[in-house]
Amino acid sequence: MPVIDVREVTKTYDTPQGPFTALRRVSLKTNAGEFLAVVGRSGSGKSTLINMITGIDRPTSGEVHVAGAAVHELDQQALAVWRGRNVGVVFQFFQLLPTLTVAENVMLPMDFCDTYPRAERRPRALALLERFGIAQQADKLPAALSGGQQQRAAIARALANDPPLLVADEPTGNLDSSTAIAVLELFAAIAAEGTTVVMVTHGSDAAPYITSTVELADATVSAHV
């Protein structure tokens, strides 16, 4: 069974200028362990597709099945529970809470979803930070870390609940090229272990690391390789 199965999804928004279709009959399947890049010009529908997959937004028509759930049918409460356990999200600007330490940021998803016993949460957070080479930063506030270190912490937080799906929206757009490559290598390693990774990107640096690409143009899939 695919981890992601998007079926004939259309999303139309009402705007002051009239209806705007951001996605038009888009279908997509992605299996466990794939590292999928979503590419396309600004306004092509990339962010809307990601919002469909993560349940942040709902399709006007069509179906979205992710990690065994019919995401388009879940109510808001069920969506929050489902997303916390099944989807990790990495943002371009990290979105770490500034008043919490790095370790506390990584523990947040575990606290929210109660996925691990309380006594296991900090050790798990430290193990993830150790894996990504920043365990020594665990008790610092995010502002004390470099951009690359903050992004590694954000990836650790996204993996806190061991979700089957990791979604990253322009995760290297705010990083220098060498740090961006290090992050891409992390994503490739995560995918190789069986987690599905979906990344929105404008850059070509990801080409050596991804296993497939979906290109959007004018709200539709123009290529899927």
Side-chain angles (χ1 to χ4, degrees):
M1 178 187 295
V3 174
I4 299 170
D5 187 359
V6 175
R7 305 175 188 173
E8 294 284 310
V9 161
T10 293
K11 180 62 181 181
T12 301
Y13 296 98
D14 292 323
T15 74
Q17 292 75 37
F20 170 74
T21 299
L23 291 176
R24 185 180 294 106
R25 299 186 67 181
V26 167
S27 295
L28 171 69
K29 290 186 179 182
T30 305
N31 296 316
E34 281 196 57
F35 184 0
L36 172 70
V38 179
V39 301
R41 296 178 181 272
S42 294
S44 61
K46 300 188 303 298
S47 294
T48 304
L49 177 59
I50 292 300
N51 289 344
M52 297 295 116
I53 291 170
T54 57
I56 292 172
D57 206 348
R58 295 179 182 275
T60 304
S61 63
E63 300 181 5
V64 180
H65 299 265
V66 181
V71 178
H72 58 289
E73 295 179 347
L74 299 179
D75 62 28
Q76 289 302 316
Q77 184 175 356
L79 262 176
V81 173
W82 169 83
R83 191 184 298 117
R85 294 176 178 272
N86 291 281
V87 183
V89 182
V90 181
F91 303 94
Q92 179 176 347
F93 295 102
F94 322 133
Q95 307 285 20
L96 298 170
L97 294 182
T99 57
L100 298 182
T101 66
V102 171
E104 288 168 342
N105 267 280
V106 177
M107 291 164 63
L108 267 182
M110 294 182 266
D111 294 337
F112 177 74
C113 294
D114 200 24
T115 43
Y116 292 88
R118 189 170 298 275
E120 294 180 13
R121 295 173 192 174
R122 179 174 169 86
R124 175 165 173 77
L126 294 178
L128 285 164
L129 294 171
E130 176 70 36
R131 176 183 177 182
F132 299 143
I134 53 169
Q136 68 276 18
Q137 314 295 334
D139 295 315
K140 296 179 181 178
L141 294 176
L145 277 63
S146 69
Q149 289 173 327
Q150 289 189 59
Q151 193 58 296
R152 287 169 181 261
I155 296 168
R157 179 184 60 186
L159 294 173
N161 287 333
D162 194 25
L165 174 63
L166 182 68
V167 176
D169 193 357
E170 295 283 354
T172 61
N174 202 37
L175 304 174
D176 63 72
S177 57
S178 62
T179 305
I181 288 171
V183 168
L184 291 170
E185 289 174 344
L186 283 177
F187 285 144
I190 292 163
E193 294 171 1
T195 300
T196 301
V197 179
V198 178
M199 180 179 70
V200 173
T201 181
H202 280 109
S204 58
D205 292 346
Y209 305 97
I210 59 176
T211 56
S212 58
T213 302
V214 60
E215 182 175 358
L216 295 177
D218 300 324
T220 64
V221 174
S222 63
H224 187 192
V225 295

